[in-house]
Amino acid sequence: MDVVRTSKRLSYLLRHRPDTAGLTLDPAGWVDVEDLLTALRLTRSELDEVVAGNDKRRFAFDTSGTRIRASQGHSVPVELDYAPAHPPAELFHGTVERFVPAILAEGLRPGNRHAVHLSPDVQTALRVGARRGRPVVLRVDAGAMAAEGAVFTQSANGVWLVDAVPPQHLTVLDRG
Ligand code: HQG
């Protein structure tokens, strides 16, 4: 089994297109492990290896270990049921230069995903931005947003999620 390939296929199925493998996610994004194993022709120990070895801990089992879901990043409608959490004063967003003018004009928007994804530190934001080219890091004044009533949640793998970030709470921090 190719762990990276299997992880990418899992991301695709659990975040975007479960239907392509005949799977259905429940409202919180969970799918039965047995159904997933059958659809992917994997053994439980292979799945455990992919989940445990995943660099960003993208997938999580429920407490009983009988269901699995992606911890964030969905484009299909799911209610991840993370409790609202008080964010640190600053969060970060990694992007690339070509998006910066639009972001500074209209703020951060979720695009195809459910939420804007924010990183807890500059290092992580640099890595997120670098997926698309030379990274640019934006600082998000999460403290001020929370004071104004914005609701933040934190996914099981540490990504901060919020509906949107208005431009007045963004500062360009670091152009790679
Ligand atoms: C940009 C990966 C123009 C935004 C990562 C980003 C992350 C705008 C892109 C997770 C905009 C959306 C999410 C606006 C935002 N105008 N561009 N108003 N607002 N953008 O992939 O945050 O490996 O949906 O800057 O590590 O890059 O998949 O979001 O460049 O945690 O687990 O629009 O995906 O994790 O791109 O990445 P994405 P993201 P995984």
Side-chain angles (χ1 to χ4, degrees):
M1 180 207 40
D2 180 331
V3 173
V4 172
R5 229 179 125 226
T6 305
S7 166
K8 288 191 170 168
R9 181 139 166 72
L10 269 185
S11 286
Y12 182 69
L13 293 177
L14 296 178
R15 290 172 169 176
H16 308 299
R17 294 295 306 270
D19 56 296
T20 60
L23 297 169
T24 310
L25 307 186
D26 87 351
W30 299 106
V31 66
D32 273 329
V33 170
E34 288 305 323
D35 294 345
L36 184 69
L37 295 179
T38 307
L40 287 179
R41 298 176 193 223
L42 283 180
T43 65
R44 175 70 198 229
S45 64
E46 286 171 332
L47 180 65
D48 287 345
E49 188 186 337
V50 172
V51 172
N54 196 261
D55 56 347
K56 291 187 188 165
R57 296 182 292 120
R58 291 181 179 89
F59 315 108
F61 293 109
D62 69 359
T63 46
S64 69
T66 60
R67 297 183 305 164
I68 185 170
R69 72 177 178 183
S71 292
Q72 35 67 229
H74 301 77
S75 58
V76 294
V78 288
E79 284 295 332
L80 291 173
D81 57 33
Y82 296 126
H86 195 72
E90 297 184 339
L91 287 168
F92 303 91
H93 180 82
T95 189
V96 283
E97 188 63 46
R98 65 182 184 279
F99 296 148
V100 171
I103 291 172
L104 292 181
E106 63 194 34
L108 287 169
R109 296 201 172 155
N112 294 330
R113 307 198 199 230
H114 286 184
V116 171
H117 288 222
L118 302 175
S119 306
D121 55 74
V122 174
Q123 210 50 41
T124 308
L126 280 168
R127 277 204 303 278
V128 172
R131 284 149 61 232
R132 297 197 161 83
R134 206 176 136 95
V136 176
V137 174
L138 305 173
R139 194 179 68 85
V140 174
D141 192 347
M145 285 179 64
E148 287 172 12
V151 176
F152 289 79
T153 57
Q154 193 177 26
S155 72
N157 59 338
V159 178
W160 283 93
L161 305 169
V162 70
D163 285 346
V165 179
Q168 67 271 24
H169 293 309
L170 287 166
T171 319
V172 178
L173 187 72
D174 184 351
R175 290 187 139 93

